[in-house]
Amino acid sequence: MVRDEVVRSATRLFKERGIRGVSLQDIADEVGLTKGALYHYFSNRDDLLRQVFGDWITQEFESLREHTSGSGGPTAQLRDYVRYHVSSVTQNIDLYSLSFSSEAELPPDVRAEFRQLKRRSDSVLKAILREGVAAGDFEPRDEKVMAFAIDGMCNWLSQWYAPDGPKTAAQIADDFVELLLRGLVRHDDGPTDSGPAHGAVATAEYHARAIRFHSERLEQLLPTLADRGGAGA
Amino acid sequence: MVRDEVVRSATRLFKERGIRGVSLQDIADEVGLTKGALYHYFSNRDDLLRQVFGDWITQEFESLREHTSGSGGPTAQLRDYVRYHVSSVTQNIDLYSLSFSSEAELPPDVRAEFRQLKRRSDSVLKAILREGVAAGDFEPRDEKVMAFAIDGMCNWLSQWYAPDGPKTAAQIADDFVELLLRGLVRHDDGPTDSGPAHGAVATAEYHARAIRFHSERLEQLLPTLADRGGAGA
DNA sequence: CCATGCTTTGACCCGACGGTCAAAAAATCG
DNA sequence: CGATTTTTTGACCGTCGGGTCAAAGCATGG
């Protein structure tokens, strides 16, 4: 289909140079048509923009609704949310990065739809957080700030994710979840809660390394402990 | 100074409508001059762009160097990094959001500088994380992903931070740090790890407990390891 | 009050861009 | 093949935006 080819080329060009940085001539050249021919498929520039974004946004709305059905505890829900969000961004990275970067250049109606999508996604996340706190699973924190932090983390993917990179989107998502749930600081309580992605061998190596680390640290600390009896500054 | 007035107006307009969405005429109108008069202060459009971004970027370079002098442990360093990053974004929110959103529309040299700033900041953060892991303070995690996650969180501020909002930049930064260090999940063990309040005794106890835990885990894993030879899915 | 230099004007040039359209070219089909 | 419809062309229009420039305004100070 020629129309789809045009939309795809347009999307790619928009992403590379920004919406305002691409002329209809550029798109026509890319597809191998003349500027005039484009008007057979689109009534004007904004209409093209609408076709580029419109379908995608409504699709995202649907997808968001499906993937956040709210089964499982807050932890599982948060995990699902992040996984969904990450896969969504990585699969439509062109459109995501475009929407974030050139939001101001979108036709008003498209822009409004996009903002609504963001808002809805945000409110889903906040609900999960609230639930988690209420259930006693999460520490009570500033809901708004946490939501923005999490969304920012995920959305930022559109700025650096490379499909041919060493990590899959799913792996990145799980890394995010682990960071979000447990933080960076090493602590010794129970087993990790994160999904099945943890291999047994990797886990064993990890623990072996951890033991070595802690042993060394402990030895280093012993003399210190001998000197001062209490807690240091 | 007229020149500064022009730069300020240009920055504001650029942020509102995107770089390509602002004509020299627009800027001239804003300042109350004629298009021609602008050329008394700037040799061309790209030169104006350079003046808008140039000073700021070199200033950021300097500031980054100062604020990441590397005193204190990894935890403190991470806290300082996030605090600095957040205050930097919130104080120059126009320029940050512009650089992120319209990076493609920047003159090549300015763009290169900006990318270098990002890269340097990123490498500072990664160094902190690496150090933290080496010191046993942080869980071993994917350095790259963590760095992007943290930077994303901070950079995303440029999309939602409101100077007149309920929280100050410093408060938001501390919220971020707490999330990053301790995660969302509620845990009931005694003293928090944050800040300099960590006494030598507590640390020693912590490491002793950690070693016990990891040893147990390792033993639990050994049978599993005998079964499958390679890494699990 | 004139001379000098900084600042501003406003008209102008040119190229690019969005958009239009009649006519040509292709495709479809009886 | 011929008729009809779909697709494409390429020339054209008006506008806008970046950039130029001679001339006018406006200070400043001798």
Side-chain angles (χ1 to χ4, degrees):
Chain A
M1 207 62 170
V2 180
R3 171 185 248 98
D4 296 352
E5 168 74 14
V6 174
V7 169
R8 241 177 299 123
S9 296
T11 306
R12 240 206 41 247
L13 289 177
F14 284 150
K15 184 208 166 187
E16 281 168 14
R17 308 185 210 160
I19 292 180
R20 283 222 165 77
V22 178
S23 69
L24 294 183
Q25 190 61 60
D26 292 335
I27 298 170
D29 288 350
E30 189 78 6
V31 193
L33 282 179
T34 325
K35 194 178 50 164
L38 292 182
Y39 282 82
H40 191 70
Y41 300 101
F42 314 102
S43 58
N44 56 45
R45 202 172 196 274
D46 273 8
D47 186 40
L48 170 59
L49 270 275
R50 258 185 287 272
Q51 298 218 23
V52 168
F53 288 92
D55 295 347
W56 168 63
I57 291 182
T58 53
Q59 198 181 315
E60 285 292 314
F61 265 113
E62 184 55 30
S63 187
L64 174 67
R65 218 175 39 74
E66 281 175 14
H67 282 259
T68 54
S69 43
S71 63
T75 305
Q77 278 188 44
L78 182 72
R79 195 190 56 224
D80 289 348
Y81 178 88
V82 171
R83 278 186 185 160
Y84 158 69
H85 202 332
V86 166
S87 87
S88 190
V89 169
T90 52
Q91 268 166 37
N92 302 284
I93 193 160
D94 283 15
L95 287 162
Y96 262 101
S97 76
L98 240 185
S99 306
F100 294 134
S101 71
S102 308
E103 200 192 308
E105 300 168 19
L106 257 41
D109 50 342
V110 177
R111 186 177 182 180
E113 257 187 309
F114 182 65
R115 292 176 91 97
Q116 201 190 334
L117 175 64
K118 278 205 293 190
R119 237 176 302 130
R120 185 166 308 180
S121 161
D122 189 57
S123 81
V124 168
L125 175 55
K126 276 195 246 181
I128 295 175
L129 293 176
R130 209 173 313 131
E131 231 174 285
V133 172
D137 291 358
F138 296 163
E139 298 268 1
R141 298 266 172 76
D142 188 314
E143 195 179 278
K144 242 189 215 169
V145 175
M146 291 303 107
F148 279 128
I150 295 170
D151 272 334
M153 202 154 136
C154 296
N155 288 327
W156 196 248
L157 261 174
S158 60
Q159 299 259 331
W160 59 272
Y161 176 73
D164 53 344
K167 286 214 158 187
T168 68
Q171 287 173 322
I172 293 172
D174 286 342
D175 283 355
F176 280 1
V177 171
E178 210 176 328
L179 171 64
L180 288 171
L181 290 177
R182 312 205 307 139
L184 284 166
V185 167
R186 172 163 252 170
H187 46 315
D188 45 345
D189 54 36
T192 81
D193 41 32
S194 72
H198 234 39
V201 172
T203 312
E205 275 167 10
Y206 164 92
H207 283 288
R209 235 185 317 147
I211 288 178
R212 235 177 297 128
F213 258 114
H214 283 292
S215 307
E216 284 166 18
R217 288 290 285 171
L218 196 56
E219 278 166 25
Q220 282 169 23
L221 272 167
L222 287 179
T224 317
L225 277 169
D227 284 348
R228 25 173 159 171
Chain B
M1 206 60 170
V2 179
R3 169 183 250 100
D4 297 350
E5 168 72 14
V6 174
V7 170
R8 242 177 297 123
S9 295
T11 306
R12 240 204 42 246
L13 289 178
F14 284 151
K15 185 210 167 185
E16 280 169 15
R17 307 185 210 162
I19 292 179
R20 284 221 165 79
V22 178
S23 69
L24 293 183
Q25 190 59 62
D26 292 335
I27 298 169
D29 289 350
E30 189 77 8
V31 193
L33 282 179
T34 326
K35 195 176 52 164
L38 292 182
Y39 283 82
H40 197 255
Y41 300 101
F42 315 102
S43 57
N44 55 44
R45 203 175 196 271
D46 274 9
D47 186 41
L48 169 58
L49 270 275
R50 258 185 288 272
Q51 298 217 25
V52 168
F53 288 93
D55 295 348
W56 168 62
I57 291 183
T58 52
Q59 197 182 317
E60 285 293 313
F61 265 113
E62 184 56 29
S63 189
L64 174 66
R65 218 176 41 72
E66 281 174 14
H67 283 258
T68 55
S69 43
S71 64
T75 304
Q77 277 187 45
L78 183 71
R79 194 191 55 226
D80 289 348
Y81 177 88
V82 171
R83 279 186 185 161
Y84 158 68
H85 203 331
V86 166
S87 88
S88 190
V89 169
T90 52
Q91 267 165 40
N92 303 284
I93 194 159
D94 282 15
L95 287 162
Y96 262 100
S97 74
L98 239 185
S99 308
F100 293 135
S101 72
S102 309
E103 199 193 308
E105 300 167 20
L106 257 42
D109 51 340
V110 176
R111 185 177 182 179
E113 255 187 311
F114 182 65
R115 294 177 89 96
Q116 201 190 336
L117 176 63
K118 277 206 293 189
R119 235 177 302 130
R120 185 166 309 180
S121 162
D122 189 57
S123 81
V124 167
L125 175 54
K126 278 196 248 184
I128 295 174
L129 293 176
R130 209 174 313 131
E131 229 175 285
V133 173
D137 290 358
F138 296 163
E139 299 267 2
R141 297 268 173 76
D142 188 315
E143 195 179 276
K144 243 189 216 168
V145 175
M146 290 305 105
F148 278 127
I150 296 169
D151 272 334
M153 203 154 137
C154 297
N155 288 328
W156 197 248
L157 261 174
S158 59
Q159 299 259 333
W160 60 271
Y161 176 72
D164 52 345
K167 286 213 156 187
T168 69
Q171 287 172 320
I172 292 172
D174 286 343
D175 283 355
F176 281 0
V177 171
E178 209 176 327
L179 171 64
L180 289 171
L181 291 178
R182 313 207 303 142
L184 285 167
V185 168
R186 168 166 248 164
H187 44 317
D188 43 352
D189 54 36
T192 79
D193 39 35
S194 67
H198 228 40
V201 172
T203 312
E205 275 167 10
Y206 165 91
H207 283 288
R209 241 184 313 149
I211 286 177
R212 231 178 303 126
F213 166 72
H214 284 293
S215 308
E216 283 164 19
R217 285 293 286 170
L218 196 56
E219 276 165 26
Q220 281 169 24
L221 273 167
L222 287 179
T224 318
L225 276 170
D227 287 345
R228 23 174 160 172

